[in-house]
Amino acid sequence: MPIVDAQRRHAELAEELRRHDHAYYVLAAPTISDAAYDRLYRELLDLEAAHPSLITPDSPSQRVGGTPLTAFGSVRHSVPMMSLDNTYSPEEVTAFVARVQKGLPGESLAWTVEPKVDGVAVTLRYENGVFATGATRGDGTTGDDITVNLRTLRSLPLRLTAGSQSVPAVLEARGEVFMPLAGFRKLNADREAAGEEPFVNPRNSAAGSLKQLDPKLVAERPLALVVYGLGAVEGVPTPATQHELLDRLKQYGFPTPERVWTAQSPEEILACITELDAIRRSFAYDTDGAVVKLDSLAQRERLGATAKAPRWAMAFKYAAEQAATRLKAITIQVGRTGALTPVAELEPVFVGGSTVSRATLHNEEEIRRKDIRVGDTVIIEKAGEVIPAVVRVETERRTGVEVEFIFPTICPECGTPATREKTAAGEGAVWRCGNLDCPAKIRGRLEHWCHRGAMDIEGGGEVLVRQLVTAGLVRDVSDLYRLKREEVAALERMGEKSADNFLEGVRQSRDRDLWRLIFGLGILHVGAGVAKVLARSFPNLDELARATAPELAQLHDVGEVIAASVEAWFGDPQNRALVSRLRTAGLRFESSTFLPANAAPQGPFVGKTIVLTGTLPTLSREEATAWIERLGGKVSSSVSKKTHYVLAGDEAGSKLEKAQTLGVPILDEAAFRTLAGPPV
Ligand code: IVH
């Protein structure tokens, strides 16, 4: 295709994909099927591969995330990112309004009330309409440059939609990155299935995700954005009011808060705050309060700010709901990994929007630290998505009948002595049942194997697994493949149809991708993400089983703890026997996603000479060189007619000029990444 046609088609595709992204991720109203979207996307990638000069940072292809960074750079905010004064008291809201009125004597005031989104504050800088830099708040003056991570958020526009407005030369949008509650619950379920610590709440998981140095991992996290403010603006007039500001941001393609109220007096403000409290649990994000803002930006300007916070806004925080209830008992749950977790069994109590009858007590130390005794009146707290917690004991209500809890040192399920282990995070300590045959662990391993995110065997939930184990039909996952129809159908509440469905699911699972099998084995610390890395790195399960910890630790995203855990798992004779039974049962051990590291190089750089110049945004010279060489290319230090590409970064000098004179194609890092494909 001639370059002009390619350019035109590329622009059309990019525009169309942007529109569909906006419809899906911002308006939550999809306008196209997944398959049709994929076709457009594929066409765009093909065009970019044929014409790398078409790859611009705002191309929809640039969201996927590139190679990991070694550290974040820092960004100085052109307008400081301040915090807000906050209060829990309605009286202080009234006092705040009076204070503002005193600063603006005789003026009429209007207010907006917005949800206070409990996420991570970010600033997003657009230059000539294109997303250029994104950063965290940091200390308010300087934050971390997390541009590559933010690019992966599908609700973040890579280019502003201008409509009838002109595109600002500079626009900084300010808002919050959050993890939608549904995504948070799923992520935590997956982490628990992998024997990993769940995140405490959505805010922590959003913050933890944005801190990842590998944008590919960030791309897998369900993060979303909401914006509510502006930093620097150049080239267009600033809006007159908060309402106009939010409208403008919406027109540019940003997601803004779903409800914003207007108020004229302290009474109206407080009514809005109450109304928000009534509906905030239906939002996609946790809200920990309301933000009250003076609507007029000109009035804000005149009021100014203190050293830390603006004088024109205030946050009203909703108190985390607490309730007192009686601790009836402490029970011990034994998980798939054998961890003994104490659970508080409570007199049911309504708190934070739901009835709570159980709360985790985490570990032995937590019980001792808070001096929690059976029979105590305890204070339960539940805020947003936070797992209900026992905050403290009302010791003054003790009557003397409360009993100290003696943490069992034997497994309550099988009676095997448990051993005490430090957690990976170094906090607290876990008692673990070491008996591989503990019924709780057997059930846990089977449920995990059947789980949707692992071997995906429908019907293999808690109830059926318990029946199968109790009936003595199944001891480990390989037994599932020997089950007979009549054995399953004879189980209570089963019947032939359900038995057939379940056994069909079992049969189909023989052919699942290797990563599902690896994940399904339930190796400590091996989540679905790590399992995918392992399946990409080894041609089959046998090669993985032979790998040593140091070899494993060299893999991207596999640390020493994971490497040791994998080595130990395959080193255990009982596990090796299981693997052999799975082989006999006919499971597929070959990896369909294996990427041979030393296979004959393929890809765009075979036989090509590339010259590096200047500083690239994220890749060091060594990283870029190694990558090019892995893909069969050669790196040379001087530009000539024989040079195929020049990979140029900031402050590129004479080499870039020479390339331009000789007509050698010039790639920036984004174009290079697209050409190179996924890092190998
Ligand atoms: S306006 C000058 N509006 O809460 C600061 N902030 O505790 C103006 N936040 O720093 C901020 N939702 O990170 C504003 N609707 C909202 C907000 C919001 C959440 C965050 C923001 C701020 C922090 C203060």
Side-chain angles (χ1 to χ4, degrees):
M1 194 188 281
I3 181 77
V4 277
D5 292 345
Q7 259 163 359
R8 189 188 39 76
R9 181 66 187 144
H10 184 269
E12 275 171 19
L13 286 167
E15 182 52 36
E16 203 174 338
L17 287 164
R18 265 184 225 116
R19 252 189 304 116
H20 293 309
D21 277 346
H22 181 257
Y24 190 95
Y25 292 100
V26 178
L27 307 177
T31 41
I32 189 173
S33 73
D34 287 359
Y37 183 97
D38 289 345
R39 271 198 299 279
L40 295 174
Y41 189 64
R42 191 67 251 167
E43 190 183 342
L44 178 103
L45 290 186
D46 289 347
L47 273 178
E48 292 186 346
H51 305 280
S53 64
L54 296 177
I55 305 166
T56 51
D58 62 336
S59 164
S61 66
Q62 300 303 296
R63 289 202 190 270
V64 275
T67 34
L69 307 177
T70 40
F72 295 117
S74 51
V75 172
R76 210 182 151 77
H77 305 310
S78 51
V79 175
M81 291 180 78
M82 304 193 103
S83 58
L84 290 171
D85 287 333
N86 61 55
T87 179
Y88 289 89
S89 117
E91 292 72 37
E92 280 194 33
V93 174
T94 308
F96 158 68
V97 171
R99 224 168 29 245
V100 172
Q101 187 72 75
K102 200 163 158 218
L104 301 168
E107 297 186 31
S108 80
L109 307 179
W111 304 91
T112 56
V113 178
E114 293 172 3
K116 186 168 182 313
V117 183
D118 197 12
V120 180
V122 293
T123 180
L124 312 165
R125 185 177 168 93
Y126 289 76
E127 291 171 1
N128 299 314
V130 176
F131 177 53
T133 322
T136 58
R137 175 167 49 197
D139 62 5
T141 312
T142 309
D144 283 343
D145 181 345
I146 53 165
T147 313
V148 287
N149 286 351
L150 289 169
R151 231 183 248 295
T152 67
L153 270 64
R154 308 301 289 251
S155 50
L156 179 148
L158 293 177
R159 174 195 283 229
L160 304 179
T161 43
S164 54
Q165 328 170 55
S166 53
V167 173
V170 171
L171 179 107
E172 285 175 9
R174 300 223 161 142
E176 220 77 3
V177 169
F178 65 95
M179 186 169 290
L181 305 183
F184 167 74
R185 291 187 195 119
K186 182 169 178 309
L187 179 68
N188 261 0
D190 288 349
R191 288 176 73 88
E192 284 187 278
E196 292 168 329
E197 278 285 300
F199 284 112
V200 178
N201 58 38
R203 208 201 73 79
N204 282 10
S205 65
S209 301
L210 287 178
K211 275 203 208 115
Q212 299 284 333
L213 288 167
D214 184 351
K216 285 226 155 45
L217 294 179
V218 185
E220 284 175 12
R221 297 278 169 87
L223 296 173
L225 172 73
V226 63
V227 303
Y228 46 69
L230 290 173
V233 178
E234 289 170 26
V236 289
T238 37
T241 62
Q242 178 70 8
H243 273 92
E244 199 183 315
L245 179 156
L246 292 173
D247 275 349
R248 204 78 84 79
L249 287 171
K250 211 186 284 180
Q251 283 165 25
Y252 284 137
F254 290 104
T256 52
E258 53 234 87
R259 275 293 299 272
V260 177
W261 286 258
T262 312
Q264 313 290 339
S265 64
E267 296 72 34
E268 283 182 21
I269 293 173
L270 292 170
C272 299
I273 289 176
T274 309
E275 204 179 317
L276 170 59
D277 192 21
I279 62 168
R280 65 193 175 100
R281 291 187 190 87
S282 67
F283 296 165
Y285 38 78
D286 266 350
T287 43
D288 56 349
V291 183
V292 182
K293 301 178 184 176
L294 192 58
D295 197 30
S296 156
L297 271 71
Q299 287 178 330
R300 291 182 188 179
E301 186 78 16
R302 271 181 276 129
L303 271 180
T306 65
K308 169 181 154 281
R311 290 201 173 87
W312 45 264
M314 171 156 234
F316 178 91
K317 302 251 266 182
Y318 300 111
E321 275 184 55
Q322 294 193 339
T325 189
R326 208 178 69 88
L327 176 69
K328 295 192 297 186
I330 294 175
T331 53
I332 298 289
Q333 258 183 2
V334 185
R336 173 172 61 81
T337 59
L340 273 47
T341 308
V343 176
E345 306 288 345
L346 307 162
E347 209 72 77
V349 59
F350 191 78
V351 56
S354 60
T355 303
V356 173
S357 52
R358 304 182 92 193
T360 174
L361 292 171
H362 303 287
N363 52 45
E364 185 187 15
E365 263 167 49
E366 170 95 354
I367 300 176
R368 202 176 314 134
R369 198 163 46 81
K370 292 187 176 158
D371 186 22
I372 298 170
R373 302 184 193 172
V374 175
D376 266 338
T377 300
V378 291
I379 301 298
I380 304 299
E381 182 172 287
K382 187 159 182 285
E385 268 306 293
V386 181
I387 301 161
V390 174
V391 199
R392 63 184 167 83
V393 172
E394 300 220 301
T395 39
E396 63 282 7
R397 287 170 73 167
R398 281 195 175 144
T399 59
V401 300
E402 296 76 15
V403 236
E404 233 172 277
F405 180 70
I406 316 264
F407 205 91
T409 52
I410 59 163
C411 170
E413 286 271 350
C414 68
T416 306
T419 46
R420 214 169 121 94
E421 228 176 62
K422 272 269 170 228
T423 61
E427 32 175 71
V430 195
W431 285 94
R432 223 181 266 282
C433 166
N435 173 11
L436 209 57
D437 291 327
C438 171
K441 289 165 78 174
I442 292 179
R443 290 196 305 269
R445 283 196 294 267
L446 282 157
E447 277 173 39
H448 173 70
W449 179 263
C450 297
H451 192 268
R452 192 167 35 87
M455 294 298 261
D456 193 14
I457 302 175
E458 201 160 327
E462 197 182 328
V463 178
L464 180 61
V465 163
R466 188 178 281 272
Q467 284 180 300
L468 290 169
V469 175
T470 315
L473 294 171
V474 174
R475 263 203 62 243
D476 67 45
V477 298
S478 74
D479 295 329
L480 293 172
Y481 299 88
R482 289 200 309 237
L483 281 172
K484 299 200 179 59
R485 184 172 186 241
E486 54 281 11
E487 290 173 337
V488 181
L491 294 171
E492 217 175 303
R493 285 188 302 273
M494 209 38 193
E496 289 187 353
K497 184 140 182 16
S498 318
D500 284 344
N501 286 345
F502 173 65
L503 289 175
E504 177 56 21
V506 171
R507 200 186 58 73
Q508 284 179 9
S509 73
R510 284 197 168 93
D511 236 12
R512 296 265 188 264
D513 277 347
L514 184 61
W515 72 263
R516 289 183 171 272
L517 191 156
I518 297 170
F519 178 43
L521 292 174
I523 304 167
L524 191 61
H525 305 308
V526 177
V530 172
K532 284 180 188 171
V533 172
L534 296 175
R536 276 203 296 271
S537 312
F538 294 92
N540 54 50
L541 192 69
D542 298 304
E543 295 283 332
L544 169 63
R546 273 194 285 274
T548 62
E551 282 163 7
L552 289 160
Q554 279 181 7
L555 300 173
H556 188 44
D557 295 334
V558 177
E560 277 167 24
V561 176
I562 301 176
S565 170
V566 173
E567 188 190 61
W569 196 92
F570 284 105
D572 184 317
Q574 292 205 53
N575 291 333
R576 280 210 298 274
L578 172 68
V579 168
S580 141
R581 286 196 297 279
L582 289 172
R583 186 198 315 282
T584 315
L587 272 82
R588 188 153 67 95
F589 280 10
E590 300 301 310
S591 170
S592 52
T593 50
F594 174 54
L595 281 174
N598 48 10
Q602 292 179 339
F605 301 140
V606 177
K608 300 258 159 54
T609 304
I610 297 164
V611 174
L612 307 178
T613 176
T615 312
L616 298 170
T618 71
L619 285 174
S620 70
R621 185 167 282 263
E622 295 70 44
E623 285 167 335
T625 305
W627 196 355
I628 292 165
E629 288 173 353
R630 279 198 300 277
L631 290 172
K634 213 177 101 212
V635 174
S636 155
S637 56
S638 59
V639 181
S640 75
K641 270 193 300 201
K642 290 197 187 130
T643 309
H644 292 92
Y645 297 110
V646 167
L647 172 51
D650 278 354
E651 284 161 37
S654 60
K655 290 182 192 171
L656 181 61
E657 279 168 32
K658 188 151 179 207
Q660 282 160 339
T661 346
L662 293 173
V664 174
I666 295 154
L667 306 175
D668 65 6
E669 184 178 319
F672 168 75
R673 283 174 183 281
T674 307
L675 258 190
V680 288

